[in-house]
Amino acid sequence: MRIVIAGGHGQIALRLERLLAARGYEVAGLIRNPEQGDDLRDAGAEPVLCDLESASVEEVAAHLQGAGAAVFAAGAGPGSGVGRKDTVDRGAAVLFAEAAERAGVRRYVVVSSMGADPEHKGDEVFDTYLRAKGEADAYVRGRSALDWTILKPGMLTNDAGTGQVRLEASTGRGPIPRDDVAAVLAELVDTPGTVGLTLELVSGPTPVTVAVKDIAGN
């Protein structure tokens, strides 16, 4: 199966690409900087040049043709301002979802954020980010042509993954290594029982594979 990842050079995306490639999937990552291509190749993924802030739905859909799943893992990043929270964290997420529909890719997994809410109050940049992510999540939930799962990790860390998590509709706040987020995403992509679920993720006592099977009702 071919899996296309938006935000292919992100810290979670690179980890996910390695995991999926090791499982034998054909993986492609959308990037806008050609200098990032070698990092994707090292991770076992095909780099695809595509700027989600300027591309059309048709252009993105062309990159998604023939894929069995799409993962939105793009983000404007911590140093970005209010404008890019809207164009990337909301706009690019909506565009990628529309493109997946256009290309007939049903399986659609979103890396969101704990606290994402279209009604979130506040005027700081992070408040804007949480609203943008919440608006994007709400849009995806309304797409009947997508078999979506939305994952909301807690506070991301670069600690080594433990393979032990808590994955529930509501977990409460807590940290989670990016390694473990990627491991959960790799399981979610291929777990149809999680379609239609919005899940929170923090470190916890349950092995990743067990946690995903439990939430899927398997």
Side-chain angles (χ1 to χ4, degrees):
M1 179 169 69
R2 177 177 170 84
I3 300 171
V4 179
I5 302 172
H9 194 258
Q11 295 187 66
I12 291 172
L14 286 168
R15 289 167 166 85
L16 177 59
E17 287 156 4
R18 290 188 188 93
L19 292 175
L20 293 174
R23 295 183 180 197
Y25 290 109
E26 179 186 347
V27 187
L30 303 187
I31 56 174
R32 62 178 190 161
N33 182 353
E35 295 180 0
Q36 298 170 342
D38 285 345
D39 290 338
L40 269 72
R41 293 184 191 95
D42 289 345
E46 171 198 354
V48 176
L49 280 178
C50 179
D51 186 346
L52 291 174
E53 289 181 89
S54 60
S56 67
V57 173
E58 291 76 15
E59 288 169 338
V60 181
H63 297 310
L64 284 159
Q65 288 293 333
V71 179
F72 185 81
S80 58
V82 168
R84 295 200 69 230
K85 301 305 184 191
D86 182 68
T87 58
V88 178
D89 293 297
R90 184 201 60 79
V94 169
L95 174 71
F96 197 58
E98 290 177 347
E101 284 192 55
R102 188 77 57 93
V105 181
R106 291 200 62 93
R107 188 69 177 116
Y108 192 83
V109 179
V110 178
V111 183
S112 183
S113 176
M114 194 171 289
D117 181 352
E119 303 301 323
H120 180 83
K121 305 298 182 185
D123 300 319
E124 301 296 325
V125 173
F126 190 67
D127 298 318
T128 302
Y129 166 76
L130 291 177
R131 278 194 298 275
K133 294 295 282 185
E135 288 166 5
D137 293 350
Y139 179 86
V140 169
R141 289 191 194 100
R143 311 314 295 174
S144 60
L146 297 178
D147 292 335
W148 54 266
T149 303
I150 295 171
L151 183 67
K152 295 183 170 186
M155 185 183 69
L156 298 170
T157 75
N158 285 325
D159 296 338
T162 66
Q164 306 279 118
V165 300
R166 184 178 173 196
L167 179 70
E168 299 172 14
S170 178
T171 61
R173 296 189 178 275
I176 180 75
R178 288 179 172 87
D179 287 348
D180 290 334
V181 176
V184 168
L185 288 167
E187 293 294 328
L188 290 176
V189 164
D190 207 22
T191 306
T194 62
V195 169
L197 299 181
T198 299
L199 303 169
E200 294 186 351
L201 175 68
V202 295
S203 293
T206 308
V208 166
T209 54
V210 176
V212 173
K213 287 179 180 178
D214 285 349
I215 202 71
N218 295 335

